[in-house]
Amino acid sequence: MSQREPSSIFASCCLFFVPMDGLSARATKLMKPRVLEMGGRVEDQLTVIFSGDLTQQEEDDNDVIDLEQDDERVMNPVVTHLIVARSVNSDSFLRYLGRHDISEAMIARLHVVTDGWVTDSIKKKQRLNEKDHQFPYHSVASSPALSRQATPTQSPPPPSPPLTPPDPPLPLALAASGGATVPRVPAVKMEASIPEVKMEVCSAHGGGGEEEEYHHTRPSMERNRRLAKMFKQLSSVYKAIATEPSQDFQRYRHYSRISEIVSTWPEPIESVQDLRPLRGCYGAKTDEKVNEFFRTGSSQRLAHLLSDERTKAFMEFQQIWHVGAAESNKLYRRGLRTLADVKRHPEYLSTDLQRRCLKYVEDFQKKMTRAEVEEAHQQVCSVAERLYPGELHIVLTGSYRRGDAQTKDIDFLITRHDDREVADEVNRIVDSLSHDGFMTDTLVLSPGCGFGAKSEHKSVTFYGVCRPRKGGPLRRIDMWMQHRSEYAFALLHCTGSAQFNITMRTHADKMGLQLTQHKLAKVIEATGSKQGARRSGQSRNLTHEGPPIPCETEEEIFTAMGLRYRPPPQRFHDRDFGAECHEAIAHRKLTWYWPDGGAVDSSGEPLAKRRKKDDIPRPPIVDQLLVRQQHQLQLKRERAMAAGNLKGAMMALKGA
DNA sequence: AGGCCAATACTG
DNA sequence: CAGTAT
DNA sequence: GCCT
């Protein structure tokens, strides 16, 4: 501990001065310079805010701003010492922690010492033992452990009914069933009535027994979640700052994938050993990060990025819809740094669309419940029914269909029940909804609407803004309309997740196929490299052999690609998916699956049917069908319990 | 050291 | 065409 | 970022 060299007595120490009783002023003036010259570091942020995007960094009055959002303060991971003024009493210190959403568990790994430790160390020119200068703050549960069992989430969750409404049937099937044309969504109000208990971090010290839920302690699903979150943050940051196909872009893709894998890992990750078999997306750097996470709960790299001025600015700018990395760069070079700066100087934005979206920033940040999505669906359906009685098939897609408890936008897929071409249905529906006050803005609307028919596919894209609930926030709403023959491909496409789509299409590529939101076809030759294509923003020029492979259902698409079907809640890039793709390719190489000659025989009979005959037995995978929902319900139960909210727990149990 | 990069649609 | 979006 |  004792160091001779005065310039290094605070080496590897990073101090945070708790701003109470005037300590911060004293510290800045007197101690900070000395600490710095003695090899230490001083940090002025104890927590880092991150919520997928930065909300305003310092915001005391966060009344409306995303109360129950995913938004989270994580400990600034570089801090090693909390310095508290001697005069502070332990109660007010605890209240200080409370105000900043910090549980005692979160600072358990830190030295919490009085300012005397700093001044004396400086005076004596050696780093004194922290033990002798501890700031006594412990409240009730300072003897941790005992309060709860070591295995918190092991109770086998009872089987639960799907959160998702049943998969949308084929349009024609519906039409055949007679009068009831526009499908009514079953009134699944269940999850709407479960109060969204806030942040487990808070409930940890609100409730009774204490879970010292830190990262190096013991594995749990909660720890998985936090690890996934770390990777998600890394991916968001790299995405925000990657202005071109580059290293950063690859990092973004990597972290995006690994985060999805971790977030859907079906059991607590015990150690890095669990992840290491993940060949292809788990290398030395990731290993290092996971280790660091187990040690410290975060990543210095991430903390550094999050506190970097340029990164912070980019993340803020990109809360504006249609502002990406390039535009952020422009704004930054003109000296703007915050969202407020942009609002003061909207003229610095390059398009009116972006300026128009300034007013949506706050609302678009907010998530909504499934109930609200369902209400929006009802409204759209009733208008559609009035305009086109019995003609349209309208389903909810996106993360709603994947079963997420909360979503950030509302996605629809619309098809006709018959084979007629897509016309101006969407326009008329949007007009009518606007008239009703439901639809409030159009951000993007494809021009063709079938008439212009400039693309070979007859489809319509609409991105807009709506207000499903009177007085509620404005929401992003997307509607796609496609021809019935493309229904399955469109449904697959707009159900996502994005990472899942990418993996599917990459797999298709490896199988000599091309998968899009319109079709699946066998590729004969490709001109131009993918890299070249990407750089110039074009897609490759692919030549297809024969007609596209006809698929009427999503199942058939999976089958045609040699994959097992995955219902929407499983549409993420998880650890098994890569392996399964691999397996499919291996089978193709054995030639049983992909007999040369192509995907479709001359009669045009779908491959899917043909293959049924010579089906080869394949090893079953563990059925993870409902893992995701169960995980979510489990979390809810835990939070409800922790908050002592018996009713909420009952509801969650009932739902399960 | 250098390749990898989903596929597509709209804006300005 | 570059940029952003899905 | 990972892989060859």
Side-chain angles (χ1 to χ4, degrees):
Chain A
M1 258 309 122
S2 64
Q3 298 276 347
R4 284 287 135 80
E5 190 57 45
S7 70
S8 63
I9 72 170
F10 288 120
S12 77
C13 296
C14 178
L15 315 190
F16 174 82
F17 291 95
V18 176
M20 300 176 74
D21 284 13
L23 177 60
S24 92
R26 251 185 318 134
T28 323
K29 280 211 188 90
L30 303 172
M31 295 184 243
K32 185 172 174 181
R34 306 302 308 277
V35 171
L36 293 181
E37 69 183 60
M38 293 178 164
R41 245 179 101 177
V42 175
E43 197 68 12
D44 52 19
Q45 300 243 66
L46 183 52
T47 55
V48 193
I49 304 183
F50 192 83
S51 63
D53 289 293
L54 293 177
T55 47
Q56 288 107 346
Q57 198 64 335
E58 276 308 317
E59 197 66 0
D60 299 324
D61 54 280
N62 57 343
D63 27 5
V64 187
I65 305 282
D66 51 45
L67 274 185
E68 35 153 55
Q69 293 269 333
D70 214 14
D71 163 356
E72 186 175 29
R73 287 167 179 272
V74 295
M75 290 287 301
N76 184 337
V78 299
V79 172
T80 59
H81 289 69
L82 246 54
I83 316 299
V84 190
R86 237 163 320 193
S87 52
V88 171
N89 77 44
S90 80
D91 275 349
S92 42
F93 175 68
L94 289 170
R95 275 195 302 272
Y96 170 86
L97 293 183
R99 277 201 302 280
H100 292 80
D101 270 4
I102 298 167
S103 70
E104 289 180 55
M106 291 166 75
I107 58 168
R109 73 188 173 90
L110 304 181
H111 296 291
V112 183
V113 294
T114 64
D115 52 341
W117 174 79
V118 183
T119 49
D120 289 358
S121 292
I122 293 173
K123 236 181 277 172
K124 297 236 168 81
K125 293 200 193 325
Q126 66 176 38
R127 177 174 160 184
L128 301 175
N129 192 333
E130 285 87 355
K131 294 249 163 57
D132 302 329
H133 296 267
Q134 271 180 1
F135 176 80
Y137 66 92
H138 288 288
S139 59
V140 269
S142 41
S143 63
L146 314 175
S147 47
R148 237 216 254 179
Q149 259 199 341
T151 53
T153 58
Q154 281 319 37
S155 61
S160 66
L163 266 177
T164 36
D167 279 355
L170 285 176
L172 266 187
L174 266 172
S177 76
T181 45
V182 179
R184 285 292 124 93
V185 174
V188 190
K189 295 277 150 104
M190 176 188 79
E191 58 282 271
S193 49
I194 296 176
E196 323 286 343
V197 185
K198 222 210 137 183
M199 288 314 312
E200 52 292 336
V201 176
C202 307
S203 58
H205 63 135
E210 255 8 37
E211 187 108 22
E212 48 157 72
E213 43 98 58
Y214 217 41
H215 319 264
H216 56 266
T217 55
R218 62 166 148 47
S220 71
M221 293 312 275
E222 172 56 23
R223 192 174 67 167
N224 284 14
R225 210 186 68 85
R226 300 183 78 104
L227 179 58
K229 182 147 210 155
M230 182 181 91
F231 284 132
K232 182 74 198 306
Q233 291 179 349
L234 281 163
S235 107
S236 309
V237 167
Y238 281 119
K239 183 185 182 156
I241 63 180
T243 52
E244 57 182 67
S246 65
Q247 298 262 11
D248 283 342
F249 182 76
Q250 293 303 113
R251 290 189 181 101
Y252 147 67
R253 303 189 73 247
H254 168 76
Y255 285 125
S256 178
R257 206 162 294 177
I258 195 84
S259 122
E260 207 157 287
I261 290 174
V262 170
S263 75
T264 58
W265 201 269
E267 65 266 351
I269 296 169
E270 307 269 346
S271 74
V272 280
Q273 304 297 341
D274 292 351
L275 298 173
R276 287 213 239 258
L278 278 176
R279 301 274 148 206
C281 56
Y282 191 83
K285 300 285 191 59
T286 309
D287 194 64
E288 216 174 283
K289 297 239 175 6
V290 174
N291 271 318
E292 189 185 358
F293 173 83
F294 282 154
R295 241 181 11 251
T296 71
S298 189
S299 144
Q300 296 217 21
R301 176 85 214 169
L302 174 61
H304 176 260
L305 282 166
L306 288 179
S307 59
D308 176 69
E309 190 186 28
R310 190 178 135 95
T311 314
K312 282 198 288 198
F314 274 44
M315 304 286 298
E316 282 208 25
F317 297 156
Q318 285 170 53
Q319 291 174 42
I320 305 164
W321 197 80
H322 223 270
V323 170
E327 182 75 2
S328 299
N329 201 27
K330 247 185 243 168
L331 296 171
Y332 189 84
R333 282 192 315 198
R334 293 181 174 212
L336 304 194
R337 292 293 179 272
T338 67
L339 197 55
D341 292 343
V342 184
K343 284 183 173 170
R344 274 194 294 276
H345 297 281
E347 70 275 14
Y348 283 10
L349 287 167
S350 35
T351 72
D352 279 331
L353 181 57
Q354 294 162 336
R355 277 184 279 275
R356 249 197 303 145
C357 288
L358 274 173
K359 57 177 176 289
Y360 299 133
V361 167
E362 286 76 18
D363 276 358
F364 286 179
Q365 218 61 26
K366 298 174 185 157
K367 293 192 173 176
M368 71 194 114
T369 60
R370 298 175 64 80
E372 186 170 346
V373 176
E374 285 151 15
E375 289 163 27
H377 184 232
Q378 299 280 10
Q379 299 187 60
V380 171
C381 285
S382 72
V383 163
E385 184 64 6
R386 201 174 64 229
L387 295 176
Y388 299 94
E391 294 179 43
L392 302 183
H393 181 67
I394 303 179
V395 292
L396 283 168
T397 63
S399 58
Y400 173 88
R401 183 160 177 254
R402 297 201 308 273
D404 282 3
Q406 297 194 121
T407 64
K408 282 184 95 170
D409 57 12
I410 309 172
D411 304 306
F412 291 100
L413 175 61
I414 307 179
T415 45
R416 298 193 56 87
H417 281 129
D418 56 41
D419 276 324
R420 282 163 59 184
E421 307 249 311
V422 171
D424 62 346
E425 291 93 344
V426 172
N427 289 51
R428 292 188 52 199
I429 291 171
V430 167
D431 281 350
S432 180
L433 286 167
S434 307
H435 187 260
D436 297 349
F438 173 88
M439 204 68 82
T440 67
D441 200 356
T442 294
L443 305 177
V444 166
L445 176 57
S446 62
C449 305
F451 305 128
K454 64 176 189 181
S455 85
E456 58 176 308
H457 316 288
K458 327 92 194 174
S459 62
V460 173
T461 315
F462 167 84
Y463 306 153
V465 184
C466 69
R467 196 193 302 278
R469 286 176 172 169
K470 301 251 179 296
L474 292 165
R475 308 295 194 184
R476 279 278 294 104
I477 177 170
D478 297 338
M479 297 181 6
W480 294 276
M481 180 153 184
Q482 284 189 212
H483 190 263
R484 206 192 76 87
S485 60
E486 298 180 346
Y487 178 72
F489 299 104
L491 188 58
L492 185 70
H493 168 76
C494 54
T495 298
S497 70
Q499 275 308 310
F500 177 82
N501 284 350
I502 291 174
T503 314
M504 279 286 273
R505 292 167 187 210
T506 307
H507 174 64
D509 192 77
K510 288 180 184 149
M511 304 279 287
L513 301 169
Q514 189 189 33
L515 172 66
T516 76
Q517 59 264 58
H518 301 291
K519 63 176 186 283
L520 176 68
K522 187 171 186 200
V523 174
I524 289 184
E525 71 172 79
T527 64
S529 76
K530 296 187 190 182
Q531 185 179 356
R534 198 148 258 290
R535 197 169 294 280
S536 59
Q538 309 268 316
S539 59
R540 282 181 304 166
N541 220 347
L542 300 181
T543 313
H544 298 138
E545 173 184 295
I549 301 168
C551 297
E552 296 225 315
T553 64
E554 289 176 310
E555 282 90 337
E556 290 178 11
I557 302 176
F558 281 85
T559 309
M561 292 174 59
L563 301 171
R564 276 177 289 269
Y565 175 69
R566 287 174 162 238
Q570 271 183 272
R571 309 262 177 94
F572 39 70
H573 183 106
D574 66 13
R575 63 175 180 187
D576 300 326
F577 198 27
E580 196 188 336
C581 292
H582 229 85
E583 190 196 336
I585 291 165
H587 278 282
R588 182 197 58 168
K589 278 186 183 145
L590 295 174
T591 69
W592 70 266
Y593 165 67
W594 205 254
D596 43 51
V600 181
D601 62 27
S602 48
S603 72
E605 189 189 15
L607 179 81
K609 280 183 198 158
R610 230 181 21 184
R611 233 173 79 266
K612 280 259 160 61
K613 294 171 201 157
D614 48 36
D615 213 353
I616 291 190
R618 322 246 311 252
I621 52 167
V622 186
D623 183 26
Q624 292 169 19
L625 180 61
L626 295 170
V627 165
R628 215 174 194 216
Q629 294 104 312
Q630 285 179 355
H631 180 204
Q632 278 164 0
L633 284 167
Q634 182 72 23
L635 276 179
K636 274 179 189 158
R637 269 199 297 276
E638 282 171 9
R639 289 178 207 174
M641 297 285 205
N645 184 345
L646 261 181
K647 212 170 163 190
M650 293 299 288
M651 293 296 294
L653 272 170
K654 220 166 86 184

